[in-house]
Amino acid sequence: MTDHSSSADGAGEGRPSGQPSQPNPQSPGPYAHPGTAAPQLSPEEARTQVAAAWVRVAPQSNVPPGQAAVPSLPPRTEQPVAESKKDKRKAEYERKKAQRKADYEAKKAAREERKRGGKGGTVPAAASAPAALVSPAPSSSAAPVSVTKGEDRAVPADPAPGGANGTRAVFDVPRPGGRLPSQGRGLHAALRATLLITTCGLALGSCAVTGLVIGRSSVSLKPASLDGQELDRYRLSEFPTQTAAVFAEEYATLCMTYSPETADKRRESLARFASAGVDRECGWNGKGKQEVKLASWDGTTEELPEYGKNGRYLNIQLTYGNGRTTTLSVPVYVKDLGKGSGLRIAGDVGEMPLPVRDTVPVVDKKDEVVDQTLSGQLKEQVLPGYFKAWAASDTTALTRFTTPDATASAVTGLAGVLTDPVVQEVQALAPEGAKVGDKLTYAQGQSVPARVTVIWGGGGPDDGKNAVTLKRSYRVTVVNTPQGWFIKDVRGGVMDPTGGRADEGKTAAPAVSPSATPAAGAGNPSSPAGPSSPGPSSSPKAASSKPAH
């Protein structure tokens, strides 16, 4: 028996008997340079070296001639090549895609089989397992499928024996270039029909709108007409008095202004106003001279019966150059009442007396109470400075006397037309309901009306001896504020409560205002105001709580 323990190349050192020596990949070879590591061997090269070592150490006597003693090696185990993530995702996608396709084909085949079965046929066993018909069988023993020419149905060529009920699986196969039958054809047809009908409807609508527009544009529109109620509502049937009055004023001025030097021009101007039968000279005989300084309608009218609502007699008041004043009645015709056009003088004029003047009734002011204390305070502390700034239109100074919401007339002023104001009289009216002897108090923000008389032009040239003075009256509204009394509004003119007529030399009895005893110097603007006696218009609290401006 051969001893394999002592073999060449160091076989048997540290190894059991009968085992070939395995080369150490980490040990240097016989031709390697000392100190360098052995090269790494692939699995195939290592197997080759191991086989060569077995051949060298095998006993030669036991090997038949012509045969090499090569030991049997263990089977080669190859490591599978690792797949990348991209390949895995692609493979998974293909698998799911194939599965979805197989499921769809199986469901479709099942539907077709159910349709055929409902017509009286027998449902094959393949309908219960459509997936097996669509998916390829993994076994090599799967029966082939034959397709009959001219038919859209595939049948297994040699069905496997022992199938379910012994029937053959039948399923539809589309013709080349054809489509699989589906239930969506009806839906597609309905959709196409809907689109076609909608398109036709839109086209017809466009044609109708175009025809309507063309037809309306070709029709001539009739002018709108108003009925009687609408004419009365918008006053289109009323006589245009203002327009006719201006027309009559111009004609009256031409008629009553005459001179021989301008006779021809006057005649031509009058012809443009009057109708055909009106006197061309307007009653003038061609002698003498006269001039009209002012012509104005006095507001009176009279209907012209011959023309109804289209004609009126208008009274024009004339003032001549010599100061004489008279009234001229002028007949005017207006053709279009709505537009106020088509005016003509429809007849000769007539001179009339002036309007009758009458007496003015007396105003009862028995319930009016004047606050003398507030009147004196406004006269001495507030109004003198205000009227001085108001006369000069000094906006900076006016802000010291007016409220933030003062009117335009209170903050504008006279722009120097009048100068040197002197406040002559002030009457501040107590609130309604105040009685004689009451102590008057005013809330914050309360308004009080006052009547103010101002003398303009005092203190002018020559110390006022030869200066012109003007007396003017105003209605002033003052407001109580924490800082004092401020002006909110100023209006011109004050009513005379006595009434009557001045041209007869008689006046009505003056109405006595039930005010308290006036303060000292109330009638003299140059004397200082003293303390007011207790009365219905006194207000000690108001006088002490209002600082001067």
Side-chain angles (χ1 to χ4, degrees):
M1 193 171 181
T2 307
D3 186 8
H4 297 283
S5 300
S6 57
S7 59
D9 297 333
E13 296 180 359
R15 294 188 300 272
S17 174
Q19 297 292 334
S21 62
Q22 297 289 340
N24 187 6
Q26 302 297 334
S27 61
Y31 302 104
H33 191 274
T36 60
Q40 295 291 337
L41 300 179
S42 63
E44 188 66 25
E45 294 176 350
R47 289 173 56 87
T48 304
Q49 290 186 5
V50 171
W54 278 103
V55 171
R56 287 196 300 269
V57 299
Q60 300 297 328
S61 58
N62 296 332
V63 179
Q67 294 184 4
V70 180
S72 61
L73 298 178
R76 179 185 303 176
T77 58
E78 296 182 358
Q79 296 293 336
V81 180
E83 296 182 356
S84 63
K85 292 183 179 181
K86 181 177 180 181
D87 296 338
K88 290 181 179 180
R89 288 195 298 268
K90 185 176 180 180
E92 182 68 16
Y93 172 76
E94 296 293 340
R95 185 184 66 78
K96 290 183 179 180
K97 182 178 179 181
Q99 184 64 31
R100 288 194 299 270
K101 184 175 182 181
D103 294 342
Y104 171 76
E105 297 293 342
K107 292 179 181 179
K108 183 176 178 181
R111 286 195 301 270
E112 295 297 331
E113 292 298 334
R114 285 195 297 270
K115 289 182 180 179
R116 286 191 293 270
K119 297 179 180 180
T122 303
V123 180
S128 61
L133 300 178
V134 179
S135 302
S139 176
S140 61
S141 62
V145 178
S146 63
V147 180
T148 305
K149 184 176 180 182
E151 296 183 358
D152 292 340
R153 186 167 298 179
V155 181
D158 189 10
N165 299 328
T167 59
R168 294 189 304 171
V170 181
F171 55 91
D172 292 339
V173 177
R175 292 187 181 92
R179 295 177 57 185
L180 292 174
S182 63
Q183 295 180 350
R185 290 184 177 180
L187 180 62
H188 294 167
L191 180 60
R192 288 193 292 269
T194 303
L195 293 177
L196 180 60
I197 293 173
T198 304
T199 305
C200 294
L202 292 175
L204 292 176
S206 301
C207 295
V209 172
T210 304
L212 181 62
V213 172
I214 296 175
R216 287 181 61 89
S217 61
S218 61
V219 176
S220 59
L221 298 178
K222 297 181 179 180
S225 60
L226 301 177
D227 55 10
Q229 294 181 354
E230 292 176 341
L231 292 174
D232 295 338
R233 177 183 178 184
Y234 297 106
R235 298 182 179 180
L236 299 179
S237 61
E238 296 182 358
F239 188 82
T241 308
Q242 293 293 338
T243 304
V246 174
F247 186 77
E249 289 172 359
E250 295 179 357
Y251 179 78
T253 302
L254 288 173
C255 178
M256 303 306 290
T257 301
Y258 46 80
S259 174
E261 292 80 6
T262 59
D264 296 338
K265 184 177 180 181
R266 173 179 175 272
R267 189 181 305 108
E268 294 177 0
S269 300
L270 290 173
R272 291 196 298 267
F273 284 83
S275 59
V278 177
D279 186 4
R280 297 295 181 90
E281 298 293 341
C282 194
W284 179 53
N285 63 353
K287 298 180 180 180
K289 294 183 179 180
Q290 184 174 272
E291 182 181 4
V292 175
K293 294 293 185 182
L294 179 63
S296 61
W297 175 51
D298 63 1
T300 60
T301 61
E302 181 184 355
E303 185 177 352
L304 193 60
E306 291 79 5
Y307 295 110
K309 59 183 179 180
N310 291 77
R312 292 290 188 275
Y313 289 105
L314 301 178
N315 294 330
I316 308 300
Q317 191 172 17
L318 302 175
T319 301
Y320 300 100
N322 56 6
R324 186 173 67 92
T325 304
T326 187
T327 301
L328 201 67
S329 181
V330 182
V332 180
Y333 168 81
V334 179
K335 181 179 180 180
D336 191 346
L337 300 180
K339 297 180 180 179
S341 60
L343 289 84
R344 276 289 168 178
I345 301 299
D348 296 325
V349 299
E351 196 162 346
M352 298 294 293
L354 293 174
V356 178
R357 292 164 176 80
D358 203 347
T359 59
V360 179
V362 180
V363 179
D364 185 10
K365 292 191 175 183
K366 294 184 298 183
D367 297 334
E368 186 180 86
V369 178
V370 178
D371 187 350
Q372 297 293 342
T373 304
L374 179 58
S375 300
Q377 182 182 352
L378 294 175
K379 179 181 178 181
E380 298 296 332
Q381 302 176 3
V382 180
L383 296 177
Y386 169 73
F387 275 103
K388 183 178 180 180
W390 190 66
S393 296
D394 189 352
T395 56
T396 304
L398 285 173
T399 56
R400 297 172 48 223
F401 299 94
T402 57
T403 58
D405 59 342
T407 60
S409 60
V411 298
T412 303
L414 301 177
V417 176
L418 299 176
T419 58
D420 301 327
V422 176
V423 180
Q424 183 183 33
E425 183 181 2
V426 177
Q427 291 181 347
L429 304 182
E432 294 183 2
K435 297 181 181 179
V436 178
D438 292 346
K439 292 184 178 180
L440 303 178
T441 57
Y442 300 93
Q444 298 294 332
Q446 184 175 356
S447 300
V448 177
R451 294 191 291 263
V452 182
T453 302
V454 180
I455 304 298
W456 297 97
D462 300 333
D463 297 332
K465 295 179 180 179
N466 299 324
V468 177
T469 60
L470 300 174
K471 180 181 177 180
R472 297 293 181 259
S473 299
Y474 301 94
R475 292 165 290 153
V476 181
T477 302
V478 294
V479 179
N480 183 25
T481 66
Q483 292 77 25
W485 292 93
F486 288 82
I487 312 300
K488 182 178 181 180
D489 187 22
V490 175
R491 297 178 183 273
V494 174
M495 183 192 64
D496 175 24
T498 59
R501 294 183 60 173
D503 54 353
E504 292 182 351
K506 299 179 181 180
T507 57
V512 180
S513 178
S515 59
T517 304
N524 187 2
S526 62
S527 62
S532 60
S533 60
S537 302
S538 61
S539 178
K541 181 178 179 180
S544 60
S545 61
K546 305 300 179 291
H549 288 277

